[in-house]
Amino acid sequence: MKNKTTKLSSIGYLFTLLVFIQLISCSSSTNNQPATSEGFTEIENELVSKFGKDAYYTDLTITYNKSIGNIIGVTVTEDPESLKMGQWNLTQDIWQQNSDITIEVPEGTKAADYMFQLGETISLSKLGGLVEQSVQKLKDEKNLDNPTLSIAGLIFPDNGDLSKTEYTISLNSENGGTTFRFYYTLEGDLIKMDY
């Protein structure tokens, strides 16, 4: 009888451990990261883990869908001068490449001049902080109770002028209907808000 009890308690312990591991892995999942500075830092860490800290991007968006959470979309390369990039999506913690892209750049220029890297100048932590700021602005000025993220990302100019890059944020009112769009400089200054 003692041997049977030991097996049952071992099975119970194993089950509890598996549930605990599942809870931990779900909480660090990118699809349920909040639209905050800390949440977007976790998303940036996922991008660095997947593509490396020296990856180059031409497009980056974080879209929120109520039923599945965050969807991260990027156009990225690890070797800009190859002129080859990939379009990737991360949905429910599964990476999927949608297409390969071959880019063209003006003669005498480098492809990297038309791309950006994540780090000090362009930061998803900064973008997450601007989402928080935008949410608070809607609460204060428009009396919205719970505005939610629709999409956040970067508008990177075609001419590669990094200083003209903008953070863009779209928030929806809780009951739908109105979408509020915010545009910020890389320094975090509000350029405009429209709806």
Side-chain angles (χ1 to χ4, degrees), residues 50-51 72-74 86-91 93-99:
K50 176 68 178 171
F51 301 110
I72 292 91
V74 294
Q87 281 187 326
W88 291 81
N89 279 339
L90 177 63
T91 306
D93 293 320
I94 298 171
W95 280 105
Q96 180 176 357
Q97 184 173 4
N98 301 326
S99 64

Side-chain angles (χ1 to χ4, degrees), residues 59-60 116 118 122 124 152-156 165-168 186:
D59 181 55
L60 191 155
F116 64 88
L118 297 175
I122 295 178
L124 292 190
L154 288 127
I155 299 173
F156 190 71
T165 303
E166 296 177 10
Y167 292 114
T168 179
L186 286 180

Side-chain angles (χ1 to χ4, degrees), residues 4-93:
K4 206 175 211 182
T5 304
T6 305
K7 280 184 181 179
L8 284 176
S9 68
S10 294
I11 291 171
Y13 173 74
L14 183 60
F15 178 76
T16 304
L17 182 62
L18 288 173
V19 168
F20 180 72
I21 289 170
Q22 182 66 24
L23 288 173
I24 289 174
S25 67
C26 286
S27 67
S28 64
S29 164
T30 55
N31 67 304
N32 61 15
Q33 288 296 332
T36 62
S37 180
E38 294 81 17
F40 279 24
T41 297
E42 289 303 314
I43 292 171
E44 185 170 331
N45 291 340
E46 174 61 29
L47 291 169
V48 169
S49 174
K50 176 68 178 171
F51 301 110
K53 66 180 178 67
D54 296 324
Y56 287 80
Y57 301 84
T58 57
D59 181 55
L60 191 155
T61 58
I62 301 166
T63 306
Y64 178 74
N65 178 295
K66 189 174 183 177
S67 60
I68 60 174
N70 295 320
I71 301 164
I72 292 91
V74 294
T75 304
V76 62
T77 185
E78 295 170 22
D79 179 13
E81 301 315 312
S82 72
L83 302 178
K84 300 200 180 308
M85 301 189 82
Q87 281 187 326
W88 291 81
N89 279 339
L90 177 63
T91 306
Q92 294 183 319
D93 293 320

